[in-house]
Amino acid sequence: MPDWKWKCDRKQDIREENINMGDNRSWELPDPFLREDGSRVEAAEEWKEQREYFKRILEEQYYGKMPPRPDHVRGERVESKFLWEESAIYERVRLYTGPEEKVAFHVHVYRPHGDEKRMCIVIPGGDGLDPEILQKAVQQGTAVLSYEIDEAAPDDTERWNQGSCALAYPEYSWRSLAMWAWLASRVIDWLEAQSFADLNKVVVTGHSRMGKMALCCGIYDERAAITAPAGSGCGGMGSLRLTGSRLGENSGNAERIGVMLRKDRFYYWLLDGMAEYGTADGLTGYRENELSFDADILGACIAPRGLFLAEGLDDQWSNVFGTQISWLAAAEVYRWMDASDKCAIHYREGGHEYNLEDWTAMLDFCRNVLEGTKKQTNYKIMKEGEVKCGYSWEIPCVKTR
């Protein structure tokens, strides 16, 4: 028997053992329409209350509690120059915010020359973004704002709680994903005073751990007209319950919650209690099905604003299988709201990266949703008769606009 076949069979054996030992909870993705009292949402006007219910759960169990919006954000331009034969402007801006302006970080702004209002892409990464991608986005009339995190919320096992975010707000339970999302929202605060920014066309994006950040920001900041996590995997749009590669559940490598939150890895991204639902080796499901939410709920919390996922089919860590079914389940909420065209996924060959093909599809989706342009790329939206798996619940039959 091939080694891979034995491993897959062993994982299934372990799962069946767990179920036979008394675990009778479903491993299907949770129903986004199910209220806390066991009844179901029936009308579109009830979705806002349901969304707030899930946001409270995520705050208490997943991301931690974030501080409210500060009373001001002050920006100080410290560098400015022309790029690409003066077709674009680059600015380095230092933002000051929080109590006594204790939180400070740099934002790198790339925008077309002129003050015409633009669609704005907010993404972490400092000044290290791919120049080809930046130039393509700006040449298409988009402003890209890339912010630094190391000073305010370092991505570091030892220093994560020594940045200015944690020090300025010690009374809050937030962990690093929430801190990075909060910083993205402060960039949007600053955009509100900029003449080049169209505040109805703000996009928050990121890849891998920063894709997880983008999802968190989109859930809690409704100014994000489109949320675009790429390769976000565990802690993002990859299902916590169901994992696998392009070949299906339990095949290939996919990071599970118990692995991600180990003390020698990324325990500081989410609240401590989340690690208890997984195992340190991540070989099979453990208690993930006891959670009242999964990645489909995270995606549904964006609805009916835009949601776009970019995934590499050969990405061994972002849970391609679990991301697909989470997207399908979240897209059910969009279908119920007659907004299927605002929830999309883009697949490509290749691994764990956020490349020009991904950005091309993401920008195409954004222009299509926000500006009404014709679709140019092969991103996918849910269609009638879609083949589904991972859940058996149906959308409510009764709906009003």
Side-chain angles (χ1 to χ4, degrees), residues 43-60:
E45 55 266 25
E46 298 170 357
W47 180 249
K48 182 177 181 180
E49 181 180 354
Q50 181 73 345
R51 182 173 179 269
E52 292 302 315
Y53 160 60
F54 285 128
K55 285 169 62 178
R56 288 193 300 271
I57 290 177
L58 296 175
E59 183 180 83
E60 294 168 0

Side-chain angles (χ1 to χ4, degrees), residues 198-224:
D198 187 336
L199 269 296
N200 294 314
K201 299 178 182 178
V202 174
V203 180
V204 179
T205 190
H207 176 248
S208 193
R209 65 195 67 187
M210 296 306 167
K212 310 177 205 295
M213 174 288 303
L215 192 58
C216 177
C217 181
I219 290 170
Y220 287 94
D221 194 333
E222 296 190 39
R223 294 173 299 176

Side-chain angles (χ1 to χ4, degrees), residues 137-349:
V138 173
Q139 286 177 342
Q140 292 183 357
T142 299
V144 179
L145 296 93
S146 178
Y147 65 94
E148 299 180 6
I149 64 168
D150 192 65
E151 182 180 357
D155 184 16
D156 185 273
T157 56
E158 301 294 332
R159 299 187 301 116
W160 73 271
N161 59 354
Q162 298 172 24
S164 56
C165 281
L167 296 177
Y169 295 98
E171 68 274 28
Y172 287 87
S173 61
W174 55 343
R175 290 300 184 95
S176 290
L177 292 186
M179 292 180 188
W180 302 334
W182 189 86
L183 291 174
S185 289
R186 305 295 69 80
V187 176
I188 301 174
D189 292 348
W190 179 76
L191 278 173
E192 290 183 342
Q194 306 310 306
S195 61
F196 68 83
D198 187 336
L199 269 296
N200 294 314
K201 299 178 182 178
V202 174
V203 180
V204 179
T205 190
H207 176 248
S208 193
R209 65 195 67 187
M210 296 306 167
K212 310 177 205 295
M213 174 288 303
L215 192 58
C216 177
C217 181
I219 290 170
Y220 287 94
D221 194 333
E222 296 190 39
R223 294 173 299 176
I226 290 179
T227 302
S232 58
C234 184
M237 280 301 296
S239 171
L240 301 174
R241 285 165 166 78
L242 306 172
T243 65
S245 72
R246 66 194 295 176
L247 300 175
E249 187 184 1
N250 287 331
S251 62
N253 297 319
E255 189 174 60
R256 301 190 75 109
I257 194 70
V259 176
M260 188 180 85
L261 297 183
R262 283 193 333 220
K263 288 299 182 182
D264 62 336
R265 302 198 74 208
F266 311 115
Y267 69 93
Y268 55 95
W269 287 357
L270 295 168
L271 291 176
D272 287 339
M274 283 301 302
E276 299 173 4
Y277 291 92
T279 58
D281 62 9
L283 286 178
T284 190
Y286 179 52
R287 291 176 51 214
E288 294 92 341
N289 67 332
E290 295 179 17
L291 291 164
S292 59
F293 61 90
D294 205 325
D296 64 316
I297 301 299
L298 306 187
C301 283
I302 306 295
R305 291 170 292 127
L307 177 64
F308 179 86
L309 313 185
E311 301 295 325
L313 288 171
D314 298 313
D315 190 339
Q316 291 295 301
W317 297 107
S318 69
N319 189 6
V320 177
F321 172 79
T323 300
Q324 179 186 17
I325 61 171
S326 295
W327 171 74
L328 281 169
E332 296 280 13
V333 177
Y334 281 83
R335 183 165 71 95
W336 177 66
M337 293 182 167
D338 292 333
S340 291
D341 59 339
K342 292 184 178 180
C343 183
I345 190 167
H346 170 69
Y347 301 105
R348 58 160 171 80
E349 297 292 336

